[in-house]
Amino acid sequence: MEEKKLRKPQIGVEVTPEEKALIEKVAKERGMRAATLLRTLALEEARRLRIK
C-alpha cells in the first residue's frame, strides 16, 4: 500500500509587485525567506495580543 505524504497547510497571500519586493527586502535584511518572515511576524503579533 502506497503511503501518501501529508502536506503542511499553506496560506496564499495576494500582494502587489511593490509589496512583494518590500517583503522580500525585509526578509533578506533579517536573513530569512519571505514565508518565514510572514510566519514570524504573525506569531510575534499573536504573542503581543496574547492570542494562543
Side-chain angles (χ1 to χ4, degrees), residues 20-51:
K20 184 176 188 283
L22 179 63
I23 291 166
E24 289 173 341
K25 285 179 186 177
V26 173
K28 183 177 180 182
E29 197 64 31
R30 289 189 66 176
M32 57 182 68
R33 296 180 3 219
T36 304
L37 171 68
L38 296 174
R39 184 173 50 251
T40 300
L41 292 172
L43 293 173
E44 287 174 359
E45 185 66 3
R47 276 189 223 102
R48 187 183 75 76
L49 295 170
R50 295 184 174 98
I51 298 171

